Amino acid sequence: MSKEEWAKKVKAELKDRDLQQLIWHTPEGLDIKPLYTPEDLDKIADIRSYPGCFPYLRGPRATMYANRPWTLRQYAGFSTAEESNAFYRENLKAGQHGLSVAFDLPTHRGYDSDHPRVLGDVGKAGVAVDTVEDMKLLFKDIPLDQVSVSMTMNGAVIPIMAAFIVVAEEQGVKPAQLKGTMQNDILKEFMVRNTYIYPPEPSMRLVADIMEYTSQYMPKFNSISVSGYHMHEAGATAVEELAFTLADGLEYVRTALKRDLPIDAFAPRLSFFFGIGMNFFMEIAKLRAARVLWAELMEPFKPQNPQSLMLRTHCQTSGVSLTAQDPLNNIIRTTLEALSAVLGGTQSLHTDSYDEAVGLPTPKSARVARNTQLILAEETGITHVVDPLGGSYYVETLTHSLKTHAKALIDEVEALGGMTKAILEGMPKLRIEESAAKRQARIDLGQETIVGVNKYTIEEPPLEILEIDASKVRKGQIKCLKEIKKSRNGRLVEQLLNQLIKAAKEGENVMPLAIEAMRARATVGEVSSALEEVFTRYEASTRTIHGVYGSLYGEKKPQELDDFRKRVAFFEKETGKRPHLMVAKLGQDGHDRGAKIIASAFEDLGFQVDVGPLFQTPEEAAREAVQKHVHVLGLSSLAAGHHILVPQVLQALKEAGGQDILVVCGGVIPLQDYEELYAQGVAAIFGPGTPLLSAAETVLNLLKKNVSALNGK
């Protein structure tokens, strides 16, 4: 039989089979067939392009990794500036190419380490930076004219950028010599990450101030990195991450153009940042589609420089795909995600450590993460060919489908008046939260397999973790702050801060005065407060979605859901009140994905649920719980503040007369900390991967044991 006859026979067999049962309906709304053929590519024109040529499907550079591999850029920062500096220098010696700085949550939110609202957050999940002196220690013996520095900073971006420029100046490095990226992407903070300070409109003005300043004085520095990563982590599908990220980018372009900046003065220095999850080919296609879409979106602005059309991106492997259960599996997950990013054509990459679902990376796990990239770059041979999956029937079709669906969502955002207006209406945030709730339901139902969590589970001993003593770090920071305030020219600092307030009121670019203030040793908190005096501090309204988790769960397991709701109804009949849960986020941790999913799911299961505002102190959360007469206070922790914040909540509840309220905890809490929390009075702890119906059953059973106390309320 000839090849042609054999092909006809196979096609006939395929037509005879019911392929509809094999079609994969992805969370993005794409229908993936089990077989792709040359015919699928007939109407896709982009695949005939070359790397380095419009629309950059195959990469922004002609030779890609064949000429130079991607930049190995590990995101890190913890405790004090000295400890982070030692970690950076060790990584640079071990093969890392650039630095990526993680700041602690108080710094993100514009608070100095001595502020009363940040007791449990200093030095956790990032490095504490209060003044230029901290920044000097952070970059000690690291030549800023040679090393590219990326900084994840958005809320307090003005004082942090100013401090960085002053530190470079005191090293003898001019602003024009600095290379790197300031994230400076405030829009995604209002969607998912929540480390904002000011309302959206003045925040966008500060973004433009930095874009304007860098275009004039820092030609090698990327003034903004438009981030989809945090959307990915919050539960966005690939289509949502792609569309909302590029829509954010469009908003920043228009903001810069309103400052009369020529498109080619800033667009070549725009960069992007995407998360990379476990859907291997989807993530490859996402990066390829992003380049094509961005080139097409930028074309109407008529840039003369081709680099204004090129999407360049940093990628990070997914934190949300890491599991606390059987954590060595995370090494495999991270390797596959890193390979996706590389095959998709990323320009730089961070690989997560396998222990990040339980705590900060240890030196051992950080080495494994770094070496994952070195092995991919130097042992696999994949760097020798540009876009090795180019022309794949499946990858090219998937890329085209993603592009088409993402463009439709971008058009939806544009119809609302652009991303700032869409965010004010809450559309992107609610879409992402709905996707996150759907995914949680699929995981709980076993429709989406996570090895070690809902399939092939084993018991593992606790991992060794890196502990940060936030109290000790805070004491050290406060001591330094006192010394700096004592030694500086206080009158000059006050004068400069007043000038900064005046500039903010009059619409001037605040960067030059912020640099002057930081040079005089003003603090991050003082500069942020000066701007807050003009712009105010933003407080978002809390909204939750309804019915998503319950409808999906009820569709697949209606009896199970109905039985539980009957138990809830019986509890209400017995006590006169539905089980009442309040979910609280304490401290400066704004990552509320888990808290929102829990609130949404528990409400669908029959509970009465309140969600406290973000950034509560322990006293505020306890007071609200008592005022609302809740049965249970659920504390969501991701930033390792539980050692300090949970005991304070328990004490505050006693002082407010709420000792009968059950306190439960969820999130990233190491197993070895459980006994300590139980001994302090925590009733239950739910680690990552806990099925929500199972968690609800535990809470309901605990309440039944506490019925006599509840009836006394």
Side-chain angles (χ1 to χ4, degrees):
M1 186 181 291
S2 68
K3 290 180 182 177
E4 290 76 13
E5 289 172 330
W6 180 256
K8 285 180 182 178
K9 182 176 183 297
V10 170
K11 283 183 182 179
E13 286 182 12
L14 286 171
K15 284 181 181 179
D16 289 341
R17 292 178 185 172
D18 184 9
L19 293 183
Q20 290 302 311
Q21 293 181 7
L22 299 176
I23 286 177
W24 174 26
H25 305 286
T26 76
E28 290 77 14
L30 309 182
D31 287 343
I32 305 299
K33 302 185 298 182
L35 177 69
Y36 287 84
T37 66
E39 286 80 3
D40 290 293
L41 306 186
D42 286 345
K43 295 181 181 179
I44 304 176
D46 296 337
I47 62 170
R48 293 170 180 81
S49 66
Y50 284 84
C53 297
F54 185 90
Y56 310 106
L57 169 74
R58 307 195 66 191
R61 290 187 290 115
T63 53
M64 290 300 286
Y65 311 141
N67 178 52
R68 185 178 72 246
W70 64 92
T71 300
L72 196 163
R73 194 187 294 279
Q74 291 295 93
Y75 177 60
F78 53 88
S79 186
T80 62
E82 295 98 323
E83 288 189 62
S84 292
N85 172 262
F87 186 79
Y88 294 156
R89 286 189 285 115
E90 187 64 33
N91 277 3
L92 288 169
K93 284 181 189 175
Q96 186 169 311
H97 307 138
L99 298 180
S100 184
V101 181
F103 296 95
D104 73 353
L105 293 167
T107 306
H108 275 288
R109 295 266 294 145
Y111 293 122
D112 289 331
S113 298
D114 59 357
H115 198 282
R117 299 194 73 87
V118 302
L119 290 174
D121 295 307
V122 178
K124 295 279 191 181
V127 60
V129 172
D130 295 319
T131 68
V132 164
E133 295 304 315
D134 290 327
M135 194 77 88
K136 281 174 74 174
L137 287 171
L138 192 64
F139 295 114
K140 184 181 178 183
D141 298 326
I142 296 173
L144 293 177
D145 57 339
Q146 297 174 36
V147 175
S148 171
V149 178
S150 171
M151 287 180 277
T152 298
M153 177 53 65
N154 305 284
V157 66
I158 294 292
I160 288 297
M161 185 74 172
F164 179 64
I165 290 168
V166 172
V167 167
E169 172 190 289
E170 294 182 6
Q171 270 194 14
V173 179
K174 297 177 182 177
Q177 295 173 278
L178 291 170
K179 295 178 293 183
T181 303
M182 181 63 72
Q183 190 165 96
N184 195 26
D185 174 9
I186 199 64
L187 289 174
K188 66 96 175 38
E189 299 296 336
F190 295 106
M191 275 190 273
V192 288
R193 191 163 174 257
N194 299 312
T195 51
Y196 42 70
I197 301 176
Y198 318 109
E201 290 90 344
S203 294
M204 285 294 285
R205 175 196 153 178
L206 297 179
V207 167
D209 281 359
I210 287 181
M211 293 179 77
E212 183 177 57
Y213 185 88
T214 53
S215 70
Q216 292 175 358
Y217 303 109
M218 302 173 71
K220 296 180 180 179
F221 201 85
N222 298 332
S223 61
I224 191 165
S225 174
V226 189
S227 175
Y229 177 82
H230 305 92
M231 301 178 207
H232 173 98
E233 294 296 275
T237 66
V239 166
E240 289 164 346
E241 181 189 358
L242 183 52
F244 293 149
T245 304
L246 298 190
D248 280 354
L250 273 179
E251 195 82 341
Y252 294 128
V253 167
R254 293 187 186 117
T255 299
L257 291 173
K258 286 177 184 174
R259 291 286 181 98
D260 295 324
L261 291 176
I263 189 77
D264 290 326
F266 64 88
R269 306 309 304 169
L270 294 176
S271 67
F272 289 80
F273 175 25
F274 288 103
I276 303 295
M278 282 298 290
N279 191 340
F280 187 77
F281 290 106
M282 187 74 75
E283 299 299 343
I284 295 167
K286 182 175 74 183
L287 299 186
R288 300 172 89 248
R291 288 192 291 270
V292 176
L293 259 177
W294 185 246
E296 292 178 354
L297 290 168
M298 290 295 285
E299 203 174 18
F301 296 106
K302 299 185 178 357
Q304 300 304 303
N305 185 348
Q307 291 192 350
S308 295
L309 300 164
M310 296 179 190
L311 181 143
R312 290 162 296 273
T313 188
H314 171 72
C315 289
Q316 180 172 338
T317 60
S318 175
V320 78
S321 71
L322 302 178
T323 66
Q325 300 90 336
D326 208 357
L328 290 180
N329 289 340
N330 295 331
I331 298 173
I332 302 156
R333 293 185 178 103
T334 295
T335 302
L336 289 169
E337 289 170 351
L339 181 57
S340 259
V342 170
L343 292 175
T346 190
Q347 278 57 70
S348 62
L349 180 61
H350 165 95
T351 33
D352 288 338
S353 299
Y354 63 81
D355 52 1
E356 289 187 53
V358 293
L360 288 169
T362 62
K364 177 183 176 182
S365 67
R367 185 176 69 250
V368 172
R370 183 183 63 244
N371 287 349
T372 299
Q373 291 200 53
L374 293 174
I375 290 166
L376 283 175
E378 300 188 24
E379 293 189 26
T380 63
I382 59 177
T383 59
H384 297 297
V385 176
V386 178
D387 190 27
L389 292 180
S392 157
Y393 307 144
Y394 175 40
V395 171
E396 297 293 5
T397 306
L398 187 57
T399 300
H400 184 71
S401 294
L402 267 177
K403 174 196 160 186
T404 303
H405 281 70
K407 181 58 168 63
L409 188 49
I410 291 170
D411 290 343
E412 203 175 323
V413 170
E414 292 292 287
L416 292 171
M419 197 45 122
T420 302
K421 290 184 178 177
I423 285 169
L424 289 171
E425 289 192 21
M427 183 272 267
K429 188 175 184 69
L430 289 175
R431 289 283 182 90
I432 292 170
E433 288 177 3
E434 184 176 318
S435 294
K438 286 178 179 177
R439 181 166 190 249
Q440 187 62 51
R442 290 195 302 273
I443 292 169
D444 288 357
L445 288 164
Q447 294 176 328
E448 187 173 323
T449 296
I450 300 180
V451 173
V453 176
N454 61 1
K455 203 171 183 181
Y456 314 116
T457 57
I458 62 168
E459 290 294 325
E460 278 278 296
L463 277 178
E464 174 194 351
I465 61 167
L466 179 64
E467 284 281 5
I468 302 295
D469 187 341
S471 298
K472 181 181 176 182
V473 176
R474 187 169 186 265
K475 285 177 185 175
Q477 290 296 119
I478 290 173
K479 181 183 177 185
C480 291
L481 277 167
K482 286 179 179 176
E483 290 172 356
I484 288 166
K485 288 180 180 180
K486 188 177 179 181
S487 63
R488 72 188 184 182
N489 184 335
R491 184 173 295 177
L492 174 61
V493 170
E494 185 179 358
Q495 178 186 338
L496 289 168
L497 290 173
N498 285 332
Q499 289 177 18
L500 182 66
I501 291 169
K502 184 172 181 287
K505 285 179 179 176
E506 295 178 357
E508 297 174 19
N509 191 317
V510 300
M511 270 305 300
L513 278 168
I515 293 168
E516 289 294 321
M518 296 305 288
R519 186 183 289 124
R521 278 11 183 210
T523 70
V524 168
E526 287 170 338
V527 170
S528 298
S529 292
L531 296 174
E532 185 181 333
E533 191 169 313
V534 180
F535 301 139
T536 73
R537 184 169 282 265
Y538 183 67
E539 292 183 17
S541 58
T542 303
R543 297 167 63 185
T544 56
I545 58 171
H546 309 284
V548 175
Y549 182 91
S551 63
L552 277 176
Y553 205 99
E555 184 182 320
K556 298 298 178 183
K557 295 186 178 180
Q559 190 61 51
E560 198 172 313
L561 186 64
D562 189 53
D563 287 347
F564 184 78
R565 285 173 172 167
K566 285 177 181 175
R567 290 173 58 199
V568 170
F570 182 76
F571 178 90
E572 182 179 8
K573 183 179 179 182
E574 221 178 19
T575 64
K577 184 180 178 183
R578 275 193 299 159
H580 191 173
L581 166 71
M582 174 180 156
V583 180
K585 292 285 296 182
L586 302 180
Q588 299 307 305
D589 174 21
H591 293 83
D592 61 351
R593 173 185 184 270
K596 290 289 187 69
I597 290 173
I598 290 161
S600 174
F602 270 63
E603 188 171 66
D604 288 354
L605 293 170
F607 279 65
Q608 180 181 346
V609 180
D610 285 293
V611 181
L614 287 170
F615 315 121
Q616 284 187 306
T617 64
E619 293 75 20
E620 288 167 346
R623 188 162 56 247
E624 184 178 354
V626 171
Q627 288 171 351
K628 290 185 173 177
H629 303 289
V630 305
H631 298 137
V632 187
L633 177 58
L635 305 178
S636 174
S637 173
L638 284 179
H642 54 277
H643 288 295
I644 295 173
L645 298 174
V646 172
Q648 289 181 351
V649 167
L650 292 164
Q651 182 61 34
L653 282 172
K654 287 179 184 175
E655 292 173 1
Q659 57 269 19
D660 290 335
I661 294 173
L662 294 178
V663 174
V664 300
C665 297
V668 180
I669 300 174
L671 282 171
Q672 45 267 61
D673 292 351
Y674 280 27
E675 286 306 316
E676 173 194 338
L677 294 176
Y678 285 137
Q680 290 167 352
V682 171
I685 303 170
F686 305 107
T690 304
L692 295 186
L693 185 59
S694 172
E697 285 175 342
T698 300
V699 170
L700 192 59
N701 289 336
L702 286 168
L703 286 178
K704 285 180 179 178
K705 292 178 183 177
N706 210 27
V707 143
S708 57
L710 294 171
N711 283 334
K713 282 193 174 185

